[in-house]
Amino acid sequence: MRILMKFRKSIMLVCKLFLLFAVVCAFIGCWQNYYEEAVYEYRGNYLVVFAYAVIFFLFAHLYSGFKIGTVRVHEAIYSMFLSLVMANFIMYMVLCLIARQLLPPGPIASTTVLQTVLAAGGVIASNSIYFSLYRVRHILAVFGTEMADWDIIQKMANIKERYVIDRGISISQGLEAVKAAIDKYEAVLIGDLEKSAKNEVLRYTYATRKRIYLLPSVNDIILNNCYQSHIFDTPVLVCRNGGLTTEQQIIKRAMDIVLSLLILVITSPIMLLTAMGIKLCDGGPVFYKQNRVTQNGRIFNIYKFRSMAVDAEKDGAARAVQGDRRVTKIGRILRPLRIDELPQLFNVLKGDMSLVGPRPERTENVHAYVQMCPEFNLRHRVKAGITGYAQIYGKYNTSPLDKLNMDLIYIEQYSVLLDLKLLIMTLKIPFMRESSEAFKKGEDRVSRTEEEKTQ
């Protein structure tokens, strides 16, 4: 086993290549047996196979299907399924163009089912191999007084196959006690500590060659996106800090308009059925307007399909909680699938929002969050968006600080390609139940709770 562990990366690469090979072979079988009209006589067939392999690989990589061992098994299987649907749909259209006729979709649909079964088996087997090669890490958690520290400790403790938090030590016990504890462990989780203490713990952990898990601060995210330069013999980190260039703004706006109109046309039947369903459900208004904050702190009215009772906020603004009785029957269908957010495409056309960007918060929530974390306003350097980093990698009940950090990562790393990547990844979100997980009871009154903390 020790010999195998030395080649574990190569072994996992072979597992992924075998999975890719199985999926491609299934496609070839379907193509050769059922779509003979689209088969070339000579070398063109190699190009079709190569194109299919590349398209599937790109989607699987984008949706994290190949992240064996680092994502949950069911998420990896779902990612593989979605990648197969996308790749097979694209290649089906290509085969129709090659054959110059509309080919029957049945065989490719059946092949997708077969490929999903093969992919699921491959993911499960590869996952078992991964955890037999990569041992569980025993971790020391160094924490301060912030709730974020306890939150990440709980999350890591829930992934027992990868992490074991053997011990936690408070920085209040002193740096010498913390250093002595670090010596006994192979990995260290460094929480949200005071700056000087964090730097001291980080330097010592690095010097003793321990693996480091670090909760980033806003400063860490800014510095992480700097580039290195030199002034004579002195290295310098440079943060451009200029926001989107004029060219980027023009391209982003053009993309917003074109894609919003296209999506509106495609989803118009869904929007019509939704409007009818809301009216039939309780007879109330179809749309719901609410004040939100966008670029430079500007307030605008966001449009949504109404998914709650008409008098849902008669006692004041409150977050949706698990089992919330204010949500209507049709709202329980709309919210997990994000259908209630489709009218926001009109906000994009008006220029209030972008397709991709930080999610717009309610004015009262922004006020409360800024009281807790003044840096929260940094996310308003760009237009609010329908989807974004926090929506793809987070959940509905992700903490404001974590959302801020993810939004800042997006702002600092912005590019047109990143926007396209996030838009494609958004297709994965509606069918992931945990992404729409509501707040627990007691966490719904955000504004009131945060005001009490600051008093």
Side-chain angles (χ1 to χ4, degrees), residues 197-218:
K198 184 176 185 177
N199 289 340
E200 187 69 26
V201 173
L202 182 60
R203 282 194 293 265
Y204 185 79
T205 308
Y206 181 79
T208 52
R209 297 178 177 271
K210 310 291 185 180
R211 175 166 290 218
I212 301 170
Y213 299 92
L214 181 69
L215 273 185
S217 64
V218 171

Side-chain angles (χ1 to χ4, degrees), residues 330-372:
I330 191 169
R332 299 188 189 283
I333 300 172
L334 302 181
R335 291 170 74 92
L337 296 177
R338 304 294 202 275
I339 295 175
D340 60 321
E341 296 181 1
L342 286 176
Q344 290 168 39
L345 293 168
F346 295 109
N347 287 117
V348 175
L349 292 175
K350 286 178 62 179
D352 295 327
M353 297 175 65
S354 177
L355 287 173
V356 182
R359 281 296 294 165
E361 287 284 351
R362 301 181 67 155
T363 52
E364 54 266 37
N365 290 343
V366 171
H367 174 73
Y369 295 153
V370 170
Q371 293 296 316
M372 283 193 304

Side-chain angles (χ1 to χ4, degrees), residues 20 42 81 93 108 143 194-195 204 295 381 392 443:
L20 177 63
Y42 196 44
F81 167 72
M93 299 299 292
I108 196 70
F143 56 85
E194 187 271 328
K195 183 178 178 180
Y204 185 79
Q295 190 175 23
R381 301 179 71 179
I392 293 169
E443 296 178 343

